[in-house]
Amino acid sequence: MADAAANILRLNDADNVAVAISIIREGTPIPGGAKALRDVPRGHKVALSAIPAGGAVRKYGQVIGYAREDVAPGTWLHDHNVGMGEAALDYAMGEETRPVPEATEKATFRGFRRANGKVGTRNYIGVLTSVNCSTTVAAAIVDEIERSGVLRDYPNIDGIIALKQVQGCVVDNSGTIFTILRRTVWGYASNPNMGGALVVGLGCEGFQIPRLKEAYGITESETFRTMTIQEVGGTRKTVEAGVAAIREMLPVVNAVEREEVPASELILAMQCGGSDGYSGITANPALGVASDLLVAQGATTILSETPEIYGAEHLLTRRAVNRDVGEKLIQRIKWWEDYTARNLMEMNNNPSPGNKLGGLTTILEKSLGAVAKGGSAPLEAVYEYAEPVTAKGFVYMDTPGYDPVSATGQVAGGANVMCFTTGRGSAYGNKPCPSIKIATNTPIFEKMEEDMDLNAGDVLQGTSLEAKGREIFDMILRVASGERTKSEALGYGSNEFAPWHVGAVM
Amino acid sequence: MADAAANILRLNDADNVAVAISIIREGTPIPGGAKALRDVPRGHKVALSAIPAGGAVRKYGQVIGYAREDVAPGTWLHDHNVGMGEAALDYAMGEETRPVPEATEKATFRGFRRANGKVGTRNYIGVLTSVNCSTTVAAAIVDEIERSGVLRDYPNIDGIIALKQVQGCVVDNSGTIFTILRRTVWGYASNPNMGGALVVGLGCEGFQIPRLKEAYGITESETFRTMTIQEVGGTRKTVEAGVAAIREMLPVVNAVEREEVPASELILAMQCGGSDGYSGITANPALGVASDLLVAQGATTILSETPEIYGAEHLLTRRAVNRDVGEKLIQRIKWWEDYTARNLMEMNNNPSPGNKLGGLTTILEKSLGAVAKGGSAPLEAVYEYAEPVTAKGFVYMDTPGYDPVSATGQVAGGANVMCFTTGRGSAYGNKPCPSIKIATNTPIFEKMEEDMDLNAGDVLQGTSLEAKGREIFDMILRVASGERTKSEALGYGSNEFAPWHVGAVM
Ligand SMILES: [Ca+2]
Ligand SMILES: [Ca+2]
Ligand SMILES: [Ca+2]
Ligand SMILES: [Ca+2]
Ligand SMILES: [Ca+2]
C-alpha cells in the first residue's frame, strides 16, 4: 500500500492518516491528491483527508485519537493537534465487532491427528520435571536417548526434549504458584505436538506429581509416565528407569503418521519481541492479516502480552463477541494493576519521549503496534495463563510481556505453531512448537538471515500488507506440515521453557 | 553423645535436656542418674536435671524456652510445661557471643590460587547469559567445546559450564531485579572456582552487558569475554565466535596449578533441603561442629534460608559480634515480612501440629533444627543475596529457603565448597561449587548411596556429633583439594543456576 513516492504507508483502507517511512518534504504529493503542508518527520503521521475538530483519527483501521482542531489534508498530525478524548477510553463492549467472512477456499496441512481429536504439527516426546531437583535427571535421560542413536529407528518422531525448570518447591499459601505450574506442565505434556511424555520428580517437593494427576484426572498410560528419584532410589537408577520408560514409549509414539487435515486445526501463538519502530507498520500488521486468514479458515489465533496492551484494552473490548468476554479482559487488567502495585512496580505503556519523537502520539497508537498482530477478527474468548484454549477464532491469553514466559503460556494452552516478529533480532525457539521468525526490517533480516524465516521489511518498499500476510499464512501451513523453521535447524527450544512464577519465591 | 541405652541423645554439653531417639519407657535410667518419670515419645525431650519454674530449657546449647513449673530430672518436657517466655524473644544483641578459639593445628588443602588472592577448589570455565534469549547459544558453545575433545589437552581445567537462565528482560522500574541478576551473574563469573568466563547476550535485553561491566568496573581480558548475538549477527556466528573465544582462553585457564593453601581460604555454603525429623539432631548439628572447626581455622561459613529461621532470628542476634550486624539481620526479616505480605503470602515458621507431635515445642526449637548447621561461632556479618562475602568466620546471607535459589546466592557470594544435608534425599549439585551431600539417616543413605557423600545417621547409633563434625571437616578439605563429590560424578550442576527473582515478572 506504499505510495508511488514509496515513502508514505497507509496501513488500512479505512485510515485517514498515513505514515512517513522517510521524511516527507513540504509540498510532496500525498495519496488523495493533497500535498504535505510542511515536513513530516520519519515515522510520523500525515492527514490524508480533512478531519473536523473532534473527528476520529484512524490508523490500522482503528481510532487512535481525536483531532483537537480542524485539520486539512497534508497536515502533520501529532500531540499538538491530536488527543485521546473521552470516547477513546470507552470500553464500548462489542461495538466494533466485525466478523471475518468464512474462507471460500478451504486450506489444509499435513498434521498428526491425536486420539483425542487434536492435531499436532510435530511429534515430540517430552521429559518434564515437577521441580528443579529432578532437572538434571531429565536432561540425562534425554542425553542418553539421543546419544544411543535409537531415535534413528523411529522416523516419525521429531525428537525428545528435556523441559528444564527452576521452580517447583516453594511455600504456596495461596495455591496460585503450584496451580499455574501444574497447568503449565500438564499443558506441555498434553500439547498436540507432544506424542508422549514422562514427568520426573524428586519426591519431597511442593509440586506433588500425584496432585497433578488428581487435578487433571490423568492415569499412567503407554504415552504418559511419571516417577520420582526418591522412590526409584537415586539419580543413576532414575535415569535408567526413565530411559527404559522412553524406550517403551518410542514405538507407540512413532506409530502416528501425518495426514491431510483442515487448517481449522491450527492454533497459532503470536509473539513480538525485540520490537523496533517498524514492528507496528510491517511485521505486526502483516501477521494480523495472516491471523484474519486463519480465522477465516476456522482456526484459532492467540494474542498475549498484557503489559504491552495496557491502557489500550479498549481496542480489544470493542471487538469482544459479548460483554462477558470483554469483562474478563478488564478483570485481568485490574489484576495486573494490583499485582504490580503490590510489587512496587508500575503498569505504564504510555508513549515515552523517545516513542513521541518517533511519531507515536497516543497510548492507543503505541499499543496498536503490538495489537496489530491480532488483525481485525472478533475477540472470541479470554484465557488465563496456560489455560487450555478451546475456542475457535481470535482469542486473548493473559501473559507477561517477557517473551519466553509469554510463549510458554501459549504453548501450554495448546498452540501448535507460533509466529514471532522481531525488529532487533530475537533469538527464540520453543519445542515442541515450531516458531516462525519474522523480521520487521530488511537490514536485520539480512544481518541475521540464518535466524529469520521471513522478511516483512519489504513492506516499506511497496509489498502490500495483504501480500505479506498471505506469505506468512502460506508459510504457517508449510511449517505445520513439517517444514523446519530456522530456529529448529539451529537447535533452539530446549532452554526456553519458562513457566510464569506469580508471587514471592520463599 | 548417645547414652549407653543408645536411644537418648544429648546434643550439647550445656544442655539440660536430651532427645528420645526412640521411645524412653518410664523408669529407664537417663544420663545424670535419674529415671524417666513417664514414657517419653520418640523425638521428644526429657529433663536431665532439675529446672526451676521460669528456668531456661537448653537444647543445642541454646535457650529454646522456659519451664512453666518446677521440673524434676526425668520429666517429659513439651508445651504443657515449657513456654517461650518474653526473654526468648529478646534480640539480646551480642549477649551470647562466644568466640571460637583459634585452632592450634593449622589445616591446609590444595587449591588454585587466583591473581586476586582468592583460592578456588575447582577450575571451571563458565558461559553465562544476560537473558534467556542467549541461553541456547551458551549451551551450544559448551556442547561444541565438549564434543570437540579439546578439553583433554587441558588437564587442569575441570570443565566448561553453560549457566542457563530464564530471566533478563522484564520491566524493572525499581532497579532491584537487574541489580540482583547482575550481582549474581558477576558473582558466578568471578567465583574463585571459575578460571575464566564468557558472557553472551542477545543485545536488546533489559540486562545490558555494558551496564554489568560499568557496575563492577570490569574490562575484557584473557579470561573474561562478552558478546551479543545481535552484534555478531545471529546464532551460528555467535556460537562460532564464542567457541573461538573459549579456545583462546583454554591455555590461560589451564596454566594454574593446585598448591598447598591454608584452610582459612575456604568459604563454605551450608544448605539443608528435603529435611526430616533427624535433620536437626544428626546432620545439621554435625555440620555445625564442622562449621566451628572451619571458623577455628580462620575460614568462612555461610548460613542462609531466611524463611526457615523466621521467628527465631533471636538465636542469631544473640551471637552477633556487634549491634550493627544484629540490626542488619532484623532489617532483612522486616523486609521479608513486607515482601510476603505484599505478595499475599505469609511468613510462618511456627511448629505445625505435626511438628508438635514429633516433639518440637517452640519456634526456637524448630528453627534451631536449621540454625544448628551454623554451629556456635559469633555472627560476623550479614549479607544480602549474592553479595560478595568478604568477612572471615560465621556469616549469614539472606536468601529464600528454596534450595537452588538459596545456593545460587551463596555461590555468587564466593562460596568455594558446599555442604548440603538432606533427610528425604535431595538431588543437588552446583557447578562450579562442589557440593557434599550429607544424609540425616541411615536408610536414606543406603537407599541413595550413589547420591550421598556422607552418612550422619549413625549419630543415632552412638557416633558423637564431634566425631561426625570432624569427619565432615576432613571431607571438606579432601573435596576442596579435588576429590570428586557424588553429584559431580553424576553430572549435576549445569541446571541448578537459579538467580532469585524479586518482584513481578512483567
Ligand atoms: Ca511484544
Ligand atoms: Ca514481549
Ligand atoms: Ca513477545
Ligand atoms: Ca533448609
Ligand atoms: Ca531449603
Side-chain angles (χ1 to χ4, degrees), chain B residues 145-157 250 254:
Chain B
I145 291 286
E146 283 181 341
R147 263 183 299 129
S148 74
V150 67
L151 289 175
R152 280 193 298 270
D153 302 337
Y154 300 100
N156 293 341
I157 298 177
L250 289 169
N254 187 63

Side-chain angles (χ1 to χ4, degrees), chain A residues 131-137 139-140 164-174 177 202-204 229-237 273-275 307 336 338-348 400-405 422 424-428 444 446-451 490-498 500-506, chain B residues 131-137 139-140 164-174 177 202-204 229-237 273-275 307 336 338-348 400-405 422 424-428 444 446-451 490-498 500-506:
Chain A
V131 67
N132 178 257
C133 310
S134 50
T135 291
T136 288
V137 165
K164 305 158 203 162
Q165 59 137 335
V166 291
Q167 303 187 30
C169 194
V170 288
V171 175
D172 186 16
N173 315 105
S174 68
I177 297 172
L202 174 60
C204 60
I229 298 171
Q230 287 170 354
E231 235 168 26
V232 177
T235 299
R236 193 188 50 75
K237 286 180 195 157
S275 297
W336 270 93
D338 174 59
Y339 171 60
T340 50
R342 285 190 278 108
N343 280 280
L344 314 181
M345 301 172 86
E346 205 188 331
M347 292 293 277
N348 177 5
Y402 182 42
D403 306 325
V405 177
T422 181
R424 306 287 298 276
S426 270
Y428 186 80
I444 199 70
E446 286 174 351
K447 185 162 186 195
M448 292 181 61
E449 197 164 352
E450 293 173 314
D451 288 77
L490 287 167
Y492 276 89
S494 299
N495 299 302
E496 289 77 7
F497 179 64
W500 190 14
H501 184 101
V502 176
V505 177
M506 284 181 77
Chain B
V131 66
N132 177 259
C133 311
S134 50
T135 292
T136 287
V137 165
K164 304 157 205 163
Q165 58 138 334
V166 291
Q167 303 187 30
C169 194
V170 288
V171 175
D172 186 16
N173 314 106
S174 68
I177 296 172
L202 174 61
C204 60
I229 297 170
Q230 287 169 355
E231 234 168 26
V232 177
T235 299
R236 195 189 50 76
K237 287 179 194 157
S275 298
W336 270 93
D338 175 56
Y339 171 59
T340 49
R342 284 192 279 107
N343 280 281
L344 315 183
M345 301 171 84
E346 205 189 332
M347 293 292 278
N348 176 6
Y402 182 42
D403 307 323
V405 177
T422 181
R424 306 285 299 276
S426 271
Y428 187 79
I444 199 70
E446 286 174 350
K447 184 162 186 195
M448 292 181 59
E449 197 163 355
E450 293 173 314
D451 288 76
L490 288 168
Y492 276 90
S494 298
N495 300 302
E496 289 78 5
F497 180 64
W500 189 14
H501 185 100
V502 177
V505 177
M506 284 180 78

